[in-house]
């Protein structure tokens, strides 16, 4: 995922030295990730399918981490889609919208995404899990984006990242 561009080999080694584990997933990013939504209602958007592979070792690491009381931090929205899909290997059309029950991830590192993208919907859905009022996740993310614009943050694949927990 492009959010992973922030992780240099040196940073990864420093994190590993602090006891942080890394696990991998594969998601062949396609039209579904980047195609803007053109529907009036989010629920009417049809997600294009993309191929994923979540190795058994990664699933075991997630289970072990959760059992030990640790947090699973996804790097990138594509990673979230792969981990939260109903399948480990094959095609997924998962479209994560507010109200989604996240089962695997506890936090997320992601870049700033385009308006009207499924990725902005996903991060809003994740933020919503931490809040009580309906649509609070979307408002929170739009406020965060407004602050990022005011502060001159860089958007898109080679831009700045945020940590949502």
């Amino acid at each position: 995922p492009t959010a992973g561009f922030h992780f240099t080999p040196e940073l990864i080694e420093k994190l590993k030295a602090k006891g942080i584990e890394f696990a991998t997933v594969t998601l062949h990013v396609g039209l579904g990730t980047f195609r803007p939504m053109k529907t009036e209602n989010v629920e009417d958007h049809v997600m294009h399918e993309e191929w994923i592979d979540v190795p058994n070792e990664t699933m075991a690491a997630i289970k072990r981490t959760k059992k030990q009381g640790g947090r699973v931090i996804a790097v990138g929205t594509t990673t979230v889609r792969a981990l939260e899909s109903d399948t480990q290997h094959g095609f997924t059309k998962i479209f994560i919208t507010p109200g989604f029950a996240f089962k695997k991830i506890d936090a997320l590192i992601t870049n700033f995404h385009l308006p009207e993208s499924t990725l902005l919907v996903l991060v809003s859905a994740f933020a919503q899990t931490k809040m009580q009022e309906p649509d609070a996740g979307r408002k929170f993310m739009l406020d965060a984006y407004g602050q990022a614009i005011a502060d001159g943050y860089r958007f898109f694949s080679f831009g700045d990242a945020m940590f949502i927990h």
Side-chain angles (χ1 to χ4, degrees), residues 59-77:
M59 294 304 295
I62 289 169
K63 288 177 186 169
R64 183 178 62 251
T65 297
K66 290 198 172 276
K67 185 176 182 181
Q68 295 171 349
R71 294 189 301 170
V72 174
I73 302 171
V75 178
T77 53

Side-chain angles (χ1 to χ4, degrees), residues 80-146:
V80 174
R81 290 189 65 229
L83 292 177
E84 295 292 343
S85 289
D86 289 333
T87 184
Q88 271 186 256
H89 312 282
F91 287 97
T92 183
K93 291 177 84 170
I94 190 171
F95 181 27
I96 297 175
T97 60
F100 182 82
F102 291 86
K103 296 176 188 87
K104 304 219 176 57
I105 71 158
D106 302 301
L108 167 63
I109 296 171
T110 186
N111 295 337
F112 289 88
H113 305 289
L114 288 169
E116 299 179 8
S117 72
T118 60
L119 306 177
L120 184 54
V121 173
L122 185 153
V123 296
S124 296
F126 185 72
Q128 181 67 46
T129 65
K130 310 298 181 190
M131 303 176 175
Q132 300 301 315
E133 305 117 39
D135 209 30
R138 182 176 187 278
K139 182 183 179 329
F140 177 81
M141 292 311 305
L142 292 178
D143 289 348
Y145 274 55

Side-chain angles (χ1 to χ4, degrees), residues 41-83:
N41 297 312
V42 169
E43 298 81 19
D44 295 334
H45 177 77
V46 177
M47 195 73 169
H48 188 267
E49 68 180 7
E50 297 171 310
W51 191 88
I52 63 170
D53 179 46
V54 181
N56 291 332
E57 299 82 20
T58 297
M59 294 304 295
I62 289 169
K63 288 177 186 169
R64 183 178 62 251
T65 297
K66 290 198 172 276
K67 185 176 182 181
Q68 295 171 349
R71 294 189 301 170
V72 174
I73 302 171
V75 178
T77 53
T78 54
T79 301
V80 174
R81 290 189 65 229
L83 292 177

